[in-house]
Amino acid sequence: MRLILADDATLIRTGIARLLADRGFEITAEVADAEALLHEVARNPPDAVVVDIRMPPTFTDEGLRAADQIRRNYPEVAVLVLSQHVEVEYAMRLLKDASTRVGYLLKDRVADIDAFVATLDHVTSGGSVLDPALVAELVAAPRDEDPLAVLTPREREVLQLVAEGRTDRGIAEALFVTRKTVEAHVRSIFSRLDLPAAATENRRVHAVLKFLAAPPSSGQNGRPLTTK
Amino acid sequence: MTATALRAALAAGGLALGAVTVILSRSVPEEPVDYAHIVVYIGISWSFISAGLVAWRGRPKNPVGVLLVAAGLVRFSSQIGWWGNGFAELVVGLGRNFFLALVAHVIVVFPAGRLRSGLERMIVAAAYALAILGYVVPNAFDDGWTPNVLFVYASPTAVTVLGDLFDIAAIVIALLLVALVVARWRNGSRPARRALAPLILTAPLACVVAAAALAHDELGVSFTRPVDAALGWGGITTAMIPLALLVGLLRTRLHRSVVADLLVRLERSADPSDVRQALAETLGDPSLELAFPLASGAACVDEHGNTVELPAPGGGRALTNLSDNGRTVAVLIYDPFLLEEPELVAAAASAARLTLENTRLQAELRAQLVEVRASRARIVVAGDSERRRLERNLHDGAQQRLLGIRLALSLARSHAGDAAEVEGLLAEAEQELQDALEELRALARGIHPARLTDEGLRAALAALARRATIPVKVAAPPGRLPTAVEQAAYYVASEALANVAKHAAASHAAVTVTQSNGALVVEVVDDGSGGADAANGTGLRGLRDRVEALDGRLDLASPVGGGTRLRAELPCA
C-alpha cells in the first residue's frame, strides 16, 4: 500500500514511517505542511494519506482543510486524520458527507502499530474510523433524559463500536458474538433511536455520530454572536 | 513720553483741533456757515478720538485704538475747507482720503487688530493706495484751481476719467468690506460672532452709505429725493462705528453678572466635572476643553481622566494656563476669538479655580483608575497568551517528544526478537509513556482549551458540558467574539461548573449565553445546595478580576438550599 505522511513533527513522522515500512507499506512522500501534502497528492496520488491536524502556519486545522480538499478532488484516496486531542466538531466536519475512506484518530494510536495498521487497512478498503476516546466521551456525556437510556447495556456497547466505524464483522469479533447477533442489535438500536434504518455500514457512522453529538441543550440558540 | 501722557496730549489736541475747525470754517467768507453740519462732523472726529483713546488704554497691544484715534484726527482736515495755501490743501485732501482708508483698516482688523489673510492685506493696501493715488493722480492734470502743487499737465478729460475710476474703485472697496464682514460673521463660531457683533451692526450700513454718497456726490448718480437728502447726513453712520467697537472691546464690565452666575452655579454643583460645561456656557464657547497636567508631569488628562494632547501653538486653538503658586492647575483650551475678551476668560477662570483644582484631583484619580484598569486587562491578556503559549509548547514539545519515544520503543519491540524479558520491559515502558501522554493531554487542555481558540465559545462550552459530572444544558449562539471576551466567558462557565461538581451537590446545571445591548451575558445555574460565597475561594476572585478587567461585572446569587446562579456581563460592542 502506498502512503503519504504529513506531520510537522519530524520525530513522529519518521517514527511512523519506519514502523509502517517495517509492515510493508510504501511511503511515497513525507511532508511537513498542508501545501506540500496537496502538492504530493496531486503529483502522485497514493492509496492513503495520514495527516496531522495542527500544522504550520497557524497550527489550528490546516490538516483538516487539506483532508477536505483531498477527499473532494481524489475520492479514491483514503484520509486518516491524526489529532493531539479529540474534537467532536472536527470529527463532524470530516464525516459530514460520505463517511467512506476516512478516519479520525488520536495521535497516540500510531504507537499501537498492529491496531494502526488494521485501521489503515479498514479505511483504505472503504470503511470509516472514529477514535474510541471520542466515541466514549460522546456516549458518556451526562444528559437529562438520556436518549441512550432506551438501549440495553449490550446495545450501548454495540452502538459505541458502530460509532467507532467498525463493520458488523469487526463488532462480532470484538464482542465474541455472531454477525447475525450484531445485525439484530444494530437493527434494534436504529429503530429505538429512531435513526434511518436503511443506513449502510458507512453512513451509519455519521448518523450515530450526529445523534450523539447533538448538543445536550434545549436546542437552537438564537442569533449568531456579533461584534460591531 | 509715557503712553498715558501721549494719550492725554492727543485728547487735548483733538479738542483743540475741533475748536480750530469751527474757527476756520467761519473764516471762509464765500460760503455760509452750516453749524449743524460742523457740529455733526466734529462729533464724528471726537467719537473716533475718544473711543480710540479708551480702547487704546484698555487694550494697549491692540492697534484698533490707535487706528481709531488716527482716523479721528485726520477726519478734522476734511472739514477745514479752503485755505488758499497749496501745501495745506494737499494735507487736507490727503487727510480726507486717509480717514476713509483708516476706517477700512479698522473694519478689516477688528477685533484682533491683525490682518489674517492675503485678501485682507490686499483690501487694506488697496485702501491706502487709493487714498494717495486717488488724490494725487487726478490733481496732476487739474489746472482748474491754484495753487495746485501737484499740477503737471492740463487735461480736463484725464481729471474726469481718472477721478471717476478712482471713485468707482473706492465704491468697490466699500462693498468688498461689506462682503468681508458678512462672510466672517456667517462663518464665525459662537465666540467669533459675539466678538464681531459690534462690527456687523455698524460697518456694513456705514460702508453702503459711504458708497452711495460717493456715487451720488462724485459720479452724479441720483437716488430718490429723500435718499439723496439723507446721504448728506450719512457720516453719522460712520460715527457709530467707533462707539460700537469700543463697547465690543471693553465689554468686560457687562460680563460681571455672567461670572457671578458661574460662581453660584459652581458652588451648587456637586460634580466637579460639570465645571467644563459651566465654563463653556459662561464663555459662550461650546468647544471649550479642559486639560489637567498630571502630578507626574508626563501627560495631561481631561475631566474624565482620559489622556489629552495639548494643541500645538498656532493650531487654531487658544490656551490659557491657570497657575497656583507656580504650578499649573488646569489649561483652558478654547476658541481664539475669546482672546479678544481676556478679562472675561481671566475672571471666569479665576472664579472656577477652586473647582478646577478639585476637578484636577478627581481627574488625576480617574486617570490612575483608567491606568489601573488598563493594566489589569493587560495582565489578564498576558496571562491568557502565556497559557496559550504553554499549551502550544506542550503540544509541540513534550507531547510530540514522548510520542516519538513511544514510537521508537514500539519499533524496538518489534525488533526485539524472542527475548521475552526485553519485550516485557519495552511493553512496560510503552505503557508508562502512554499514561504520561494522557496526563499531559489533560494538562494541556486545562491550561488552555485549544478548542476555544479554534472553534469558538459554543463548541468549547459543548465540550465542557460533555465532560461534566452532571447533565449540563448549554444554550449559546454560534459566532465568534474578541478573544478576551470568549476566554472570560469560557472561564466563567468552566470555573462555575467546576464549583458545581465540587460543592453544590446539584443534579442539573445550565449554561446560557446571550448577547444584548453590546454585552455578552453568561449565566450558569445549578439546582444544588447554594450557599456559595464570592469572598471565598480564589477561583471566584480570579473570575471577578478577569471579568472586571474587561469592564464587565460578575454577580453571584447563592441562597442556602436554593441553588447557585453565577452571572457575568461582558461588554463586547
Side-chain angles (χ1 to χ4, degrees):
Chain A
M1 193 194 296
R2 296 158 64 252
L3 274 179
I4 295 179
L5 299 181
D7 192 334
D8 58 305
T10 321
L11 199 63
I12 312 284
R13 200 176 63 228
T14 51
I16 298 174
R18 285 172 62 189
L19 278 171
L20 291 179
D22 271 8
R23 297 304 184 97
F25 285 82
E26 183 192 343
I27 314 298
T28 60
E30 290 180 36
V31 296
D33 60 63
E35 203 180 322
L37 170 65
L38 292 173
H39 177 75
E40 287 297 335
V41 170
R43 205 172 60 84
N44 184 11
D47 298 312
V49 297
V50 177
V51 54
D52 184 22
I53 283 198
R54 267 171 129 178
M55 282 193 296
T58 70
F59 295 96
T60 52
D61 60 350
E62 283 80 4
L64 200 60
R65 273 183 272 149
D68 279 345
Q69 223 165 317
I70 293 169
R71 298 192 65 218
R72 250 200 327 276
N73 300 334
Y74 305 92
E76 73 282 3
V77 176
V79 175
L80 187 56
V81 174
L82 301 180
S83 176
Q84 196 67 258
H85 26 242
V86 289
E87 303 282 355
V88 174
E89 286 71 25
Y90 287 166
M92 293 292 290
R93 264 168 71 183
L94 201 59
L95 290 160
K96 69 174 177 292
D97 306 319
S99 314
T100 63
R101 295 175 189 278
V102 64
Y104 181 83
L105 279 188
L106 265 181
K107 215 168 182 182
D108 311 3
R109 308 287 177 209
V110 296
D112 187 348
I113 192 65
D114 292 332
F116 188 60
V117 167
T119 301
L120 269 175
D121 284 339
H122 181 50
V123 172
T124 42
S125 63
S128 54
V129 168
L130 263 187
D131 196 280
L134 177 82
V135 177
E137 183 182 312
L138 288 174
V139 170
R143 292 175 171 85
D144 281 325
E145 297 151 25
D146 188 353
L148 303 184
V150 297
L151 304 183
T152 64
R154 191 55 155 184
E155 283 171 345
R156 279 177 92 115
E157 270 181 279
V158 173
L159 176 76
Q160 203 155 334
L161 293 170
V162 167
E164 286 171 19
R166 307 266 190 129
T167 58
D168 286 353
R169 208 187 68 203
I171 297 170
E173 281 168 10
L175 298 181
F176 305 105
V177 294
T178 66
R179 212 171 139 172
K180 286 257 175 263
T181 316
V182 173
E183 280 169 12
H185 280 314
V186 171
R187 266 199 307 280
S188 165
I189 292 167
F190 271 61
S191 103
R192 285 182 181 195
L193 297 184
D194 215 10
L195 291 172
T200 65
E201 275 183 358
N202 286 320
R203 292 215 174 265
R204 72 189 189 186
V205 177
H206 182 239
V208 170
L209 179 63
K210 202 173 152 193
F211 177 82
L212 289 173
S217 71
S218 42
Q220 255 315 303
N221 307 298
R223 283 174 294 129
L225 301 170
T226 54
T227 47
K228 286 194 195 94
Chain B
M1 188 155 42
T2 65
T4 315
L6 177 61
R7 279 194 294 270
L10 284 170
L15 284 171
L17 271 176
V20 169
T21 306
V22 177
I23 296 162
L24 286 178
S25 307
R26 295 187 53 171
S27 68
V28 179
E30 301 98 80
E31 288 179 25
V33 179
D34 182 348
Y35 285 107
H37 264 98
I38 289 174
V39 168
V40 167
Y41 281 100
I42 289 174
I44 293 174
S45 283
W46 279 345
S47 88
F48 270 88
I49 293 170
S50 54
L53 287 171
V54 177
W56 186 354
R57 201 186 59 191
R59 293 271 186 287
K61 284 178 188 155
N62 191 324
V64 167
V66 177
L67 287 171
L68 288 174
V69 172
L73 290 174
V74 298
R75 182 71 182 76
F76 279 125
S77 64
S78 64
Q79 201 52 37
I80 289 172
W82 178 247
W83 266 18
N85 177 300
F87 284 101
E89 191 59 36
L90 178 63
V91 170
V92 167
L94 283 175
R96 197 176 292 164
N97 283 1
F98 257 96
F99 169 72
L100 295 173
L102 284 163
V103 172
H105 190 171
V106 167
I107 289 175
V108 171
V109 300
F110 184 84
R114 292 182 303 271
L115 291 165
R116 277 159 297 249
S117 68
L119 176 69
E120 293 185 355
R121 264 187 285 280
M122 213 187 70
I123 291 177
V124 171
Y128 284 115
L130 198 60
I132 298 168
L133 298 177
Y135 184 75
V136 171
V137 175
N139 278 323
F141 302 100
D142 195 349
D143 64 347
W145 57 282
T146 50
N148 179 357
V149 292
L150 295 169
F151 177 73
V152 178
Y153 175 78
S155 167
T157 320
V159 173
T160 317
V161 171
L162 290 170
D164 285 358
L165 277 179
F166 283 116
D167 288 333
I168 290 170
I171 290 172
V172 167
I173 288 182
L175 297 179
L176 266 178
L177 286 174
V178 174
L180 184 76
V181 170
V182 170
R184 281 175 64 196
W185 170 267
R186 289 190 51 173
N187 299 332
S189 59
R190 246 170 75 184
R193 285 189 176 192
R194 217 168 29 152
L196 288 172
L199 200 62
I200 190 82
L201 288 174
T202 54
L205 177 66
C207 288
V208 169
V209 167
L214 257 179
H216 177 261
D217 296 349
E218 305 294 336
L219 300 177
V221 177
S222 51
F223 305 95
T224 62
R225 190 178 294 272
V227 172
D228 291 344
L231 285 176
W233 296 90
I236 294 173
T237 58
T238 315
M240 285 158 61
I241 294 181
L243 298 176
L245 300 196
L246 177 66
V247 170
L249 283 178
L250 303 178
R251 206 168 13 184
T252 320
R253 279 175 192 82
L254 302 178
H255 291 310
R256 283 217 173 122
S257 64
V258 185
V259 174
D261 286 348
L262 172 67
L263 263 177
V264 171
R265 180 171 165 182
L266 289 176
E267 230 161 65
R268 281 194 194 139
S269 164
D271 182 0
S273 65
D274 286 348
V275 69
R276 192 206 73 82
Q277 184 66 23
L279 273 173
E281 283 170 21
T282 302
L283 296 180
D285 176 9
S287 76
L288 178 128
E289 297 164 82
L290 293 176
F292 302 94
L294 293 179
S296 60
C300 284
V301 295
D302 65 10
E303 67 271 21
H304 304 296
N306 299 315
T307 309
V308 289
E309 290 280 334
L310 289 181
R317 299 288 279 162
L319 303 184
T320 292
N321 272 327
L322 264 155
S323 307
D324 191 19
N325 291 328
R327 191 177 52 85
T328 302
V329 173
V331 181
L332 265 56
I333 306 166
Y334 50 92
D335 194 302
F337 264 94
L338 282 173
L339 285 174
E340 310 312 330
E341 302 174 67
E343 290 89 354
L344 174 62
V345 174
S350 91
R353 187 187 305 274
L354 197 63
T355 321
L356 281 171
E357 174 65 23
N358 270 337
T359 311
R360 185 187 72 77
L361 290 172
Q362 290 209 359
E364 187 149 356
L365 266 178
R366 288 207 181 97
Q368 283 166 5
L369 212 63
V370 166
E371 178 45 37
V372 165
R373 196 171 294 150
S375 96
R376 186 152 72 158
R378 281 197 300 273
I379 289 169
V380 168
V381 167
D384 283 344
S385 68
E386 187 56 20
R387 291 175 93 124
R388 206 158 35 239
R389 200 182 62 76
L390 256 176
E391 188 266 346
R392 172 73 47 80
N393 283 350
L394 281 179
H395 175 272
D396 295 343
Q399 281 177 301
Q400 303 279 10
R401 213 167 286 278
L402 288 180
L403 184 55
I405 297 169
R406 240 213 101 180
L407 289 177
L409 285 175
S410 196
L411 202 60
R413 186 153 61 93
S414 68
H415 288 281
D418 298 331
E421 197 178 340
V422 176
E423 194 180 328
L425 281 171
L426 288 176
E428 205 174 302
E430 279 183 51
Q431 189 53 51
E432 283 294 314
L433 271 178
Q434 185 58 35
D435 292 348
L437 277 168
E438 269 157 32
E439 274 173 33
L440 213 51
R441 182 160 56 233
L443 183 64
R445 188 158 62 199
I447 288 172
H448 175 82
R451 172 185 281 113
L452 180 63
T453 315
D454 299 348
E455 297 282 298
L457 189 56
R458 190 152 99 127
L461 291 178
L464 210 54
R466 277 196 297 274
R467 299 199 182 99
T469 49
I470 55 164
V472 178
K473 279 195 160 95
V474 175
R480 300 304 300 262
L481 290 174
T483 311
V485 175
E486 284 189 341
Q487 300 257 22
Y490 177 83
Y491 282 115
V492 166
S494 138
E495 179 68 25
L497 289 179
N499 284 340
V500 170
K502 265 188 277 178
H503 312 296
S507 61
H508 293 83
V511 178
T512 316
V513 178
T514 50
Q515 193 181 28
S516 65
N517 299 329
L520 188 76
V521 178
V522 184
E523 212 164 21
V524 185
V525 183
D526 70 53
D527 59 356
S529 53
D533 184 354
N536 280 338
T538 52
L540 271 176
R541 208 174 311 139
L543 273 193
R544 171 150 296 154
D545 283 349
R546 184 179 272 282
V547 168
E548 286 175 359
L550 296 175
D551 264 346
R553 45 176 298 173
L554 189 75
D555 297 307
L556 178 74
S558 188
V560 174
T564 299
R565 173 183 298 262
L566 186 70
R567 184 178 188 278
E569 208 175 304
L570 301 157
C572 60

